[in-house]
Amino acid sequence: MIKFFRKIRYDLMEKNKTGKYFKYAIGEIVLVVIGILIALSINNWNENRKNDNVEQETLLSLKSDLESALVQLDDKLDQNSNYRYLDSILLGVIQYKKDIPTDSLEKLTLNHIWSPGFDPELGTLNEILSTGKMGIIQNRALRKHISTWNKYIDELEEVDSFLSHYDLNVKGPLYSKHLPYKNLFSFYSKNHKLLKSNFEWNSKLLLEDKEFENMLSFYILLSTIQYGRLLDIKSNINEMITLINRDINER
């Protein structure tokens, strides 16, 4: 096409038709510009299509990670509720000086030795935050939820670190002094008599220990805070999954 216009331009120049020559020259320039714009548009369309594909793959992977995290989170919430319930029962026994069989007290205490943590596998979300991949996420609301994720996790880890410290430095030494840990394994064994500890323990000493009451009160307080922060994380996860589903379905 350019060769064709060039030939016409030369013919016009030879015939001294300057006016028509400029018109054809301008037409040629316009065609070149239009061609460049079309090429740029096609290139932009291809890039946008590639980015859309990458975004879709990222969203699907993120959704899978979030759904797995949600399963672990629900388990953590159930454990938190259960442990707070057990600790409340023990506090009631101390407060109202209730008589409780040694075996029952043993089960109440040994069922809550360690505080479980929340450590989900969120490779896609971490990749988005650490590699600058946030730019491919078009949904502003979703970007906002992703960007605040670390804030929620940091707040939860603050409480978890207190509980872990208490497990190691307060509960562990206190329980080791009073409780037969070996009996913990007997809860899960058919051969109960074989695994049960030979050491007798005085449950009254534990119930009259002020450190034990303080520990239970502290655990209930921290667990209540922990439960609220877990709910915040669950709400954030559910909102992200909803936004991802909506975004995927609209395409």
Side-chain angles (χ1 to χ4, degrees), residues 160-196:
D160 286 351
S161 64
F162 275 115
L163 287 170
S164 296
H165 175 80
Y166 229 64
D167 285 342
L168 184 63
N169 296 288
V170 179
K171 178 183 280 187
L174 181 63
Y175 277 19
S176 293
K177 181 174 70 174
H178 286 287
L179 293 168
Y181 272 13
K182 190 177 180 183
N183 292 354
L184 173 66
F185 304 107
S186 70
F187 297 161
Y188 309 103
S189 172
K190 295 179 181 178
N191 196 348
H192 183 88
K193 291 183 179 179
L194 178 64
L195 289 175
K196 197 168 179 65

Side-chain angles (χ1 to χ4, degrees), residues 28-39:
E28 185 177 346
I29 292 171
V30 170
L31 281 176
V32 171
V33 172
I34 291 173
I36 292 173
L37 292 175
I38 291 173

Side-chain angles (χ1 to χ4, degrees), residues 137-150:
I137 307 296
Q138 299 182 41
N139 190 306
R140 291 183 180 180
L142 180 57
R143 287 205 305 267
K144 182 178 179 180
H145 283 295
I146 293 173
S147 63
T148 58
W149 174 260
N150 285 335

Side-chain angles (χ1 to χ4, degrees), residues 112-144:
H112 182 193
I113 299 293
W114 302 283
S115 301
F118 176 60
D119 187 25
E121 295 288 339
L122 290 170
T124 303
L125 189 145
N126 292 329
E127 181 184 359
I128 292 172
L129 290 171
S130 62
T131 63
K133 214 173 180 180
M134 186 79 81
I136 69 169
I137 307 296
Q138 299 182 41
N139 190 306
R140 291 183 180 180
L142 180 57
R143 287 205 305 267
K144 182 178 179 180

Side-chain angles (χ1 to χ4, degrees), residues 11-244:
D11 290 342
L12 291 173
M13 287 176 67
E14 289 177 357
K15 295 177 181 179
N16 201 22
K17 295 182 177 180
T18 308
K20 289 187 177 181
Y21 165 78
F22 281 116
K23 289 181 182 179
Y24 277 104
I26 293 171
E28 185 177 346
I29 292 171
V30 170
L31 281 176
V32 171
V33 172
I34 291 173
I36 292 173
L37 292 175
I38 291 173
L40 288 174
S41 297
I42 293 173
N43 184 61
N44 289 336
W45 180 83
N46 285 331
E47 286 299 317
N48 290 334
R49 183 171 57 84
K50 289 178 183 178
N51 289 337
D52 285 343
N53 290 337
V54 172
E55 183 188 15
Q56 288 292 295
E57 291 175 3
T58 302
L59 291 178
L60 288 172
S61 181
L62 177 59
K63 178 186 174 184
S64 178
D65 286 353
L66 292 173
E67 287 174 342
S68 296
L70 202 56
V71 173
Q72 185 188 144
L73 183 59
D74 284 335
D75 288 340
K76 173 97 172 180
L77 285 165
D78 288 341
Q79 288 175 329
N80 179 290
S81 297
N82 184 47
Y83 290 162
R84 279 189 293 124
Y85 173 71
L86 295 175
D87 290 344
S88 297
I89 291 176
L90 288 169
L91 266 185
V93 170
I94 296 171
Q95 179 70 32
Y96 300 106
K97 301 184 184 300
K98 295 180 180 179
D99 291 329
I100 182 171
T102 298
D103 286 349
S104 298
L105 180 61
E106 187 179 286
K107 289 180 179 179
L108 281 172
T109 50
L110 292 180
N111 269 321
H112 182 193
I113 299 293
W114 302 283
S115 301
F118 176 60
D119 187 25
E121 295 288 339
L122 290 170
T124 303
L125 189 145
N126 292 329
E127 181 184 359
I128 292 172
L129 290 171
S130 62
T131 63
K133 214 173 180 180
M134 186 79 81
I136 69 169
I137 307 296
Q138 299 182 41
N139 190 306
R140 291 183 180 180
L142 180 57
R143 287 205 305 267
K144 182 178 179 180
H145 283 295
I146 293 173
S147 63
T148 58
W149 174 260
N150 285 335
K151 169 182 171 291
Y152 287 113
I153 293 299
D154 289 343
E155 290 175 348
L156 176 63
E157 287 180 349
E158 182 183 20
V159 182
D160 286 351
S161 64
F162 275 115
L163 287 170
S164 296
H165 175 80
Y166 229 64
D167 285 342
L168 184 63
N169 296 288
V170 179
K171 178 183 280 187
L174 181 63
Y175 277 19
S176 293
K177 181 174 70 174
H178 286 287
L179 293 168
Y181 272 13
K182 190 177 180 183
N183 292 354
L184 173 66
F185 304 107
S186 70
F187 297 161
Y188 309 103
S189 172
K190 295 179 181 178
N191 196 348
H192 183 88
K193 291 183 179 179
L194 178 64
L195 289 175
K196 197 168 179 65
S197 174
N198 291 325
F199 291 94
E200 297 293 333
W201 70 289
N202 189 340
S203 59
K204 187 176 181 181
L205 290 177
L206 180 64
L207 294 175
E208 293 178 350
D209 191 327
K210 183 176 70 175
E211 187 177 4
F212 182 56
E213 182 184 55
N214 290 340
M215 184 200 72
L216 292 173
S217 301
F218 186 77
Y219 267 97
I220 290 174
L221 173 62
L222 280 181
S223 295
T224 301
I225 297 172
Q226 183 191 60
Y227 190 82
R229 293 184 178 176
L230 288 169
L231 287 179
D232 288 339
I233 292 175
K234 182 174 182 178
S235 176
N236 193 34
I237 289 177
N238 281 326
E239 287 174 7
M240 281 195 282
I241 291 175
T242 299
L243 290 170
I244 291 171

